[in-house]
Each structure stands twice: as structure tokens, then as C-alpha cells.
């Protein structure tokens, strides 16, 4: 029996999709090519080989010298310090023999592998980053913190408890495996119910289509700023990260400051939504919402906020509106959102032609990218914090970290439609079409430089998803009259959820005007003073200054858009 070309292609895609389910969507071909490129570069570089051997010998001698010195001086300075973000060896127990030798030897080995995988002449930058990342992942597996006999904290706990910590740890592991197998949320997450414990700011769903519910929040002040605010969250996450508990809800904070706030709540797509694309999210999401808000609060321009992927889509939408002479927007605020993807951080390690083709075949077979497959990639990026430290704490030390609202939200994952995710990864991550003027809306290109409203951008210092130097690059793309950039401490999520009163928070903020000379990100960080506290009040003051006079609070909904449901609506509850 003969097959036509489409059947041959379908067979190939089916085989690759089946394999992708076992590899969490990571392409073996891409990994193998990366490894072979590195190996051949080392094999054809005898000088590099000699240099690495010399490095290894020097590190061994350095460790031996330090060991002999520290034997007589327990206060001797370590021969190598962990990186600032590496918290594994901070406990004083690691300063005792023989654990001091174990962890110092491990750090020297880690440093040697960095030397062995970087700076190789002829190795492509993408492969260099990938092989360095891969070596780091394997070293994280072998870290002495992960094993009973080489971790002094685990050994001490085991001796004190008579091994009960290991028994309890096994029970914790069994509970987690059971929850994983039956699709149940992690232990403790059930204490945070959407609409009861989180996402509780009062409001109404005033519009619904196949892709979104639009929530209008109930005013808490007699008068409000005239211009309303639309928040566009990423559909890779549930919207209520911005409306967690009352004490750390950005929505509640804004409503209490007299803003009329609207929120998009995205539908959690299923296999039937496989053909939803970027255009659908743009039109049914942002443009439909702007139309509704314009009718509920007429004759007012609208402030907009986009978070992560929602910020990228907002930037594209605003560019298309500016191109077409649509002046409904009053300002654009971007939370940890990228517009130029050339330096998009370690997520780019999962983005090349072979990797994307492999991932596309997986999504082609499923119709969506599943929550577990998506979560796996993000956990790998922060394996020390999200995988290995959890294994040590919960299974060896038997100390479960108490569940909080942010952790419960993080476990409430969403799916991504096949077509949209493919378009997003190819056009933005791989080809950088938006920043380079090739992204098309209505079959015509759009560019960020057309936007002529004030822009406020927030980056976070430890962002693994949207590195702040990448988000800062909007300075190079924008011709807006003013661009305010704010850098806060924290990561992609915890840096954004930063309510007033949160301890140990700080930020930097500066505004660049149209005629100002460009400042590179590192120089900007040096010259911009640190301000203590939450960045929310600073942004809210910026927003209020541009929101017009205060007027009587509007009604929630109207005769044209009667309330359909109480906030948080039904889409956010979809599993």
C-alpha cells in the first residue's frame, strides 16, 4: 500500500509526538547536535585541551593547599565562594570538616566545567549557552546537598530524630506521587479556593466571548479617576496572580486608590481550540475588551497594562492601533514583558528550528501544550530552587514549606493552543519579527516605534522568563514622548506581586524623554538610585497623574452589557 506525502508527514509527526511525550517536549536531535558541536570543538583544539588539563591541576593543588591550611585554621577563608544566587552552602554546618572539603571541591568542579563549556572558538553562541546550561543541570543533580551522606544538615536531622525524618520524607514523596498520578493539586493548595480565598475582589463579568471574560471591578471610592484601566494578563497563567489575597492584590490596591479597573480572564483552551492563533487573542481579547470599556465609560481614553505574554500582545495591539490612527489608548504599562527577543534569557535554549519542530509535532498531536509539559521547562530553568531544594527539604529533611497563595496560584496551570503557541515561538522568540518590523496584523507590518503614548515598563532583577536587560531594550524600539523604566528586586512573579509593607523590597525608576541620549542597561542601573519599599505606589502615582480629574464612580455594567456573573467568573475556574 502506497502513502501520499501528507500521510508520510503525519506518520513522521506522530512518531516525534510520541517521543516528545517522554522527553517533556525536548528534542533529542537538538540536544545531540549541541553536544556534538561542543565535543568536536574541544577535539579539534589541542591548546584548549591542554589549558583545561592545566586548569584542573591548578584547582586540585588549590584545594589541597586550602585543605592543609584550614585544618589548622577553622576560620580560613574559603578558596572559592558560591555565586550570589547559590544558597545551597550558606549554613555554617558546611564549614566543618569534611563537608567543607566536599562543597569546596564541588564548587571548583563547577567552575572548571564552566571553563570547559564557554569561550570555545567556533562554537555557535546558541550551542555554547545550551551546553553550559546542560552541564550546570548535571552538576545540580550531583550536588552534595542532594544526598544523605554528603549533606551535614540531613545527617544531623537523621541522627537527632532517629531516622524519623526519612520516614516522614517517604510519606511526603508518596503523597506527592499520588497527587501527581490522579491529577490533584500539590499538598496544601486546596486551602486556596478561587473566589473564596484568592481572586476575591468584588466585581462582575460584563462581557464574555469564546476566549475571554471581561471583569469590571466594583468601585470602593465615591469618586474615581476619569480614565479606566484595562489589565491584560498572560494566558500562560491564570489572571488572579494580580488579585491574590486581599493583602497582596494589585487589583484591590488600584480600586482602593480610585481607579476603574477591568481585567481580562482568559479561557483555558482545550484540544478543540487548537486553531486559535495570535490574531484571535488580539481581537477577541484586547480589541473586544477596549470596545466594551469604551461603551461602558464613553469619551475617555483607556490606560492599559500587560503582564508577561499579555504585555507582548498588548504591545503588538497598540502598534497596530497606532498604525491605523486609533487613539483610544492613554498609556501602556508592561510588567516583565518583552518586545525584543534576541536576549530572551535561558528560555531561548529551548528555541531553535529542530526544537520548535519537535514541540510543534507534540502540540499537533494533542491540540494544546499541556500544563505538565509547560511547567517542566520552567522548573528546569530554576532546578536548584524548584526541584532539588524541594527534594532536600521535603523528602530528606521532611520539612514541607507551608503553602501560600502565590504557590497555590503557580500550581493552577493553563494550556496553550497549538497554533497560537507555534506562532508565538516562531515569530517572536525564534525570528524576532516584532522588533525587526516583520510581524503582521491585517496583513500589514506593525512596529513599536509607531506608539506615541507614555510607556511605563517594569523589570525584575532575577527574572528567568523575561530578563530585565531584555525588557529594557524597548528603549531602542520606542519613539514615544516618554518611557519610564522601573527595576524592582525579585523574580518574574514575586517581583511583580510586591504590595506596600512587603519586607526587603526596593526599586529603581527613571524616565527617558524623546530627545534624551540612550543609556545602556548597566550604566542605567549604576546611575539610578535605589528606593526602598514597594514600587506599586510609585507606579500608581504615575498612573493617577495621567488619568484625568476625579468623577463620580461609574455603574458596574450597563443595559447593553448587563452583569453575567460575579467575579472571578467561570473561565478562571476551568481545570
Amino acid at each position: 500500500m502506497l502513502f501520499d506525502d501528507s500521510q508520510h508527514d503525519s506518520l513522521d509527526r506522530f512518531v516525534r509526538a510520541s517521543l516528545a511525550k517522554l522527553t517533556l517536549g525536548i528534542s533529542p536531535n537538538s540536544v545531540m547536535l549541541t553536544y556534538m558541536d561542543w565535543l568536536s570543538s574541544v577535539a579539534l583544539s589541542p591548546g584548549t585541551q591542554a589549558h583545561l588539563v592545566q586548569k584542573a591541576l591548578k584547582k586540585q593543588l588549590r584545594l589541597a593547599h586550602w585543605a592543609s591550611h584550614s585544618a589548622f585554621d577553622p576560620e580560613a577563608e574559603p578558596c572559592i565562594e558560591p555565586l550570589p544566587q547559590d544558597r545551597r552552602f550558606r549554613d555554617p554546618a558546611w564549614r566543618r570538616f569534611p563537608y567543607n572539603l566536599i562543597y569546596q571541591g564541588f564548587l571548583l568542579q563547577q567552575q572548571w566545567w564552566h571553563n570547559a563549556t564557554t569561550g570555545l572558538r567556533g562554537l555557535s553562541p546558541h550551542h555554547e549557552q545550551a551546553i553550559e546550561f546542560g552541564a550546570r543541570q548535571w552538576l545540580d543533580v550531583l550536588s552534595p546537598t542532594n544526598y544523605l551522606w554528603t549533606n551535614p544538615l540531613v545527617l544531623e536531622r537523621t541522627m537527632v530524630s532517629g531516622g524519623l525524618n526519612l520516614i516522614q520524607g517517604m510519606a511526603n514523596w508518596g503523597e506527592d506521587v499520588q497527587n501527581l498520578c490522579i491529577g490533584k493539586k500539590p499538598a496544601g493548595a486546596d486551602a486556596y479556593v478561587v473566589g473564596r480565598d484568592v481572586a476575591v475582589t468584588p466585581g462582575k463579568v460584563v462581557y464574555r466571548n469564546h476566549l475571554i471574560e471581561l471583569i469590571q471591578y466594583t468601585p470602593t471610592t465615591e469618586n474615581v479617576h476619569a480614565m479606566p484601566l484595562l489589565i491584560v494578563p498572560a494566558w500562560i497563567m491564570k489572571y488572579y496572580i494580580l488579585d491574590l489575597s486581599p493583602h497582596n492584590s494589585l487589583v484591590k490596591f488600584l480600586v482602593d486608590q480610585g481607579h476603574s479597573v477591568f481585567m481580562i480572564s482568559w479561557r483555558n483552551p482545550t484540544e478543540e481550540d487548537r486553531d486559535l492563533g495570535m490574531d484571535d487573542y488580539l481581537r477577541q481579547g484586547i480589541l473586544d475588551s477596549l470596545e466594551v470599556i469604551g461603551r461602558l465609560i464613553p469619551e475617555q481614553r483607556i490606560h492599559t497594562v500587560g503582564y508577561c505574554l499579555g504585555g507582548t500582545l498588548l504591545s503588538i495591539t497598540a502598534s497596530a492601533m497606532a498604525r491605523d490612527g486609533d487613539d483610544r489608548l492613554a498609556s501602556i504599562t508592561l510588567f516583565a514583558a518583552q518586545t525584543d527577543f534576541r536576549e530572551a534569557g535561558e528560555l531561548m535554549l529551548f528555541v531553535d528550528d529542530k526544537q520548535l519542530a519537535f514541540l510543534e509535532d507534540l502540540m499537533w498531536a494533542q491540540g494544546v501544550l499541556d500544563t505538565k509539559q509547560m511547567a517542566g521547562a520552567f522548573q528546569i530553568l530554576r532546578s536548584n530552587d524548584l526541584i532539588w531544594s524541594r527534594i532536600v527539604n521535603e523528602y530528606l529533611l521532611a520539612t514541607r514549606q507551608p503553602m501560600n497563595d502565590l504557590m497555590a496560584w503557580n500550581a493552577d496551570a493553563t494550556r496553550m493552543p497549538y497554533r497560537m503557541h507555534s506562532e508565538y515561538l516562531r515569530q517572536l522568540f525564534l525570528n524576532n519579527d516584532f522588533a525587526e518590523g516583520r510581524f503582521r496584523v491585517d496583513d500589514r507590518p506593525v512596529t513599536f516605534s509607531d506608539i506615541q503614548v507614555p510607556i511605563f515598563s517594569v523589570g525584575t532583577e532575577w527574572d528567568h522568563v523575561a530578563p530585565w536587560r531584555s525588557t529594557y531594550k524597548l528603549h531602542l524600539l520606542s519613539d514615544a514622548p516618554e518611557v519610564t523604566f522601573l527595576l524592582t528586586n525579585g523574580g518574574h512573579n514575586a517581583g511583580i506581586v510586591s504590595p506596600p509593607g512587603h519586607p526587603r523590597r526596593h526599586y529603581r525608576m527613571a524616565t527617558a524623554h524623546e530627545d534624551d541620549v540612550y543609556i545602556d542597561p548597566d550604566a542605567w542601573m549604576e546611575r539610578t538610585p535605589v528606593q526602598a519599599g514597594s514600587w506599586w505606589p510609585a507606579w500608581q502615582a504615575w498612573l493617577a497623574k495621567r488619568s484625568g480629574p476625579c468623577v463620580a464612580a461609574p455603574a458596574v455594567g450597563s443595559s447593553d452589557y448587563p452583569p453575567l456573573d460575579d467575579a472571578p467568573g467561570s473561565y478562571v475556574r476551568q481545570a
Side-chain angles (χ1 to χ4, degrees):
M1 180 179 179
L2 298 177
F3 294 93
D4 60 30
D5 289 345
S6 64
Q7 289 173 315
H8 287 132
D9 183 60
S10 295
L11 178 61
D12 291 344
R13 300 188 81 171
F14 175 77
V15 170
R16 288 193 293 265
S18 300
L19 178 59
K21 291 179 181 180
L22 301 176
T23 64
L24 292 177
I26 298 174
S27 167
N29 281 351
S30 184
V31 173
M32 183 173 63
L33 284 173
T34 299
Y35 175 73
M36 292 305 296
D37 190 11
W38 169 76
L39 191 62
S40 61
S41 295
V42 174
L44 296 175
S45 304
T48 297
Q49 295 174 32
H51 177 67
L52 291 174
V53 170
Q54 185 180 28
K55 281 270 189 184
L57 291 173
K58 280 186 176 180
K59 290 182 188 304
Q60 289 178 6
L61 291 172
R62 183 176 164 191
L63 180 62
H65 177 266
W66 178 82
S68 61
H69 180 61
S70 63
F72 298 99
D73 181 9
E75 302 300 321
E77 289 293 319
C79 64
I80 182 172
E81 293 284 357
L83 295 172
Q85 67 270 26
D86 188 350
R87 301 187 293 269
R88 290 174 292 184
F89 306 105
R90 289 184 177 178
D91 194 279
W94 288 101
R95 306 298 180 267
R96 300 197 302 262
F97 179 84
Y99 307 106
N100 54 356
L101 293 181
I102 292 172
Y103 99 87
Q104 287 285 285
F106 173 78
L107 291 178
L108 288 170
Q109 181 188 49
Q110 186 173 260
Q111 189 181 66
W112 184 88
W113 273 104
H114 177 77
N115 298 145
T117 54
T118 57
L120 290 170
R121 184 176 175 82
L123 184 64
S124 76
H126 178 71
H127 285 172
E128 178 181 285
Q129 293 166 7
I131 198 70
E132 192 272 336
F133 175 81
R136 197 161 12 106
Q137 296 305 304
W138 277 112
L139 287 168
D140 287 346
V141 173
L142 300 173
S143 170
T145 54
N146 299 337
Y147 302 97
L148 170 64
W149 300 111
T150 54
N151 187 325
L153 301 176
V154 176
L155 277 173
E156 183 178 354
R157 178 71 60 84
T158 303
M159 289 187 288
V160 169
S161 70
L164 290 177
N165 58 305
L166 300 180
I167 296 172
Q168 181 59 50
M170 283 296 295
N172 291 344
W173 177 82
E175 182 182 12
D176 290 344
V177 169
Q178 180 179 341
N179 290 342
L180 182 65
C181 291
I182 64 177
K184 189 178 177 182
K185 291 181 180 180
D190 289 338
Y192 294 91
V193 177
V194 174
R196 188 195 72 187
D197 308 288
V198 292
V200 296
T201 302
K204 301 288 185 181
V205 174
V206 295
Y207 175 74
R208 178 186 293 128
N209 61 28
H210 179 74
L211 196 53
I212 70 159
E213 289 181 331
L214 181 65
I215 301 169
Q216 181 182 7
Y217 289 96
T218 304
T220 59
T221 56
E222 184 177 347
N223 294 314
V224 299
H225 296 284
M227 295 182 186
L229 174 68
L230 170 65
I231 302 177
V232 185
W235 51 91
I236 198 172
M237 57 180 76
K238 297 287 181 73
Y239 85 83
Y240 67 89
I241 185 175
L242 299 174
D243 185 26
L244 287 170
S245 305
H247 71 277
N248 60 1
S249 166
L250 178 61
V251 170
K252 184 179 186 302
F253 173 78
L254 291 169
V255 171
D256 289 346
Q257 299 300 315
H259 292 276
S260 295
V261 180
F262 293 79
M263 174 75 76
I264 290 176
S265 174
W266 300 100
R267 178 189 184 91
N268 196 2
T270 63
E271 184 178 353
E272 288 71 30
D273 300 311
R274 61 184 298 124
D275 293 324
L276 289 174
M278 290 286 288
D279 277 350
D280 297 298
Y281 278 80
L282 185 152
R283 299 183 190 289
Q284 296 184 46
I286 298 179
L287 291 181
D288 279 7
S289 296
L290 292 174
E291 178 69 22
V292 173
I293 296 170
R295 294 191 180 186
L296 290 172
I297 305 179
E299 300 179 4
Q300 294 292 344
R301 298 171 77 193
I302 303 167
H303 291 288
T304 53
V305 177
Y307 186 8
C308 185
L309 180 52
T312 303
L313 184 68
L314 174 60
S315 300
I316 293 170
T317 308
S319 300
M321 293 173 69
R323 179 200 64 189
D324 298 337
D326 187 336
D327 63 353
R328 286 178 290 172
L329 301 189
S331 73
I332 298 168
T333 296
L334 304 176
F335 294 165
Q338 297 175 104
T339 48
D340 185 313
F341 288 80
R342 282 295 173 218
E343 297 175 343
E346 290 184 333
L347 273 178
M348 291 300 295
L349 300 175
F350 300 94
V351 180
D352 58 35
D353 286 304
K354 286 190 177 295
Q355 177 58 54
L356 284 191
F358 197 70
L359 187 60
E360 285 170 341
D361 290 339
L362 173 62
M363 295 188 294
W364 167 82
Q366 298 178 161
V368 293
L369 185 64
D370 188 67
T371 58
K372 295 185 182 67
Q373 294 153 345
M374 197 152 43
F378 287 108
Q379 286 183 330
I380 289 173
L381 291 180
R382 296 180 57 204
S383 60
N384 270 339
D385 295 329
L386 300 180
I387 299 176
W388 300 113
S389 65
R390 184 184 171 211
I391 288 175
V392 172
N393 288 326
E394 299 195 4
Y395 305 153
L396 295 180
L397 293 172
T399 55
R400 276 209 189 274
Q401 183 178 357
M403 183 65 66
N404 60 37
D405 49 10
L406 186 59
M407 293 166 64
W409 164 85
N410 194 52
D412 193 6
T414 58
R415 295 173 289 273
M416 302 275 269
Y418 161 52
R419 180 183 158 204
M420 187 287 305
H421 200 42
S422 177
E423 290 174 349
Y424 175 67
L425 289 176
R426 283 200 174 274
Q427 295 183 49
L428 297 176
F429 268 94
L430 186 63
N431 298 329
N432 204 25
D433 284 346
F434 180 50
E436 297 176 13
R438 293 186 298 272
F439 196 96
R440 304 177 81 83
V441 176
D442 291 333
D443 204 30
R444 289 184 295 155
V446 295
T447 174
F448 195 82
S449 61
D450 285 340
I451 298 172
Q452 292 298 310
V453 297
I455 296 170
F456 195 106
S457 178
V458 179
T460 63
E461 291 178 0
W462 298 108
D463 199 325
H464 290 74
V465 179
W468 77 266
R469 288 175 178 81
S470 179
T471 62
Y472 184 89
K473 290 173 75 175
L474 64 81
H475 285 86
L476 298 172
L477 301 178
S478 175
D479 287 334
E482 61 175 82
V483 175
T484 300
F485 188 79
L486 185 148
L487 179 64
T488 181
N489 64 324
H492 186 71
N493 297 324
I496 299 300
V497 182
S498 181
H502 195 295
R504 299 181 299 279
R505 289 299 186 188
H506 65 258
Y507 65 93
R508 296 172 169 87
M509 185 175 78
T511 298
H513 296 92
E514 191 173 8
D515 297 329
D516 290 347
V517 175
Y518 172 74
I519 302 172
D520 70 82
D522 293 314
W524 181 92
M525 190 175 190
E526 268 188 37
R527 68 172 61 179
T528 306
V530 175
Q531 302 184 56
S534 164
W535 60 269
W536 286 8
W539 171 61
Q540 188 276 326
W542 181 93
L543 195 65
K545 185 179 178 181
R546 294 160 177 80
S547 294
C550 286
V551 298
V556 176
S558 69
S559 57
D560 291 333
Y561 295 100
L564 305 174
D565 198 357
D566 290 331
S570 58
Y571 283 2
V572 73
R573 304 177 198 269
Q574 293 173 329

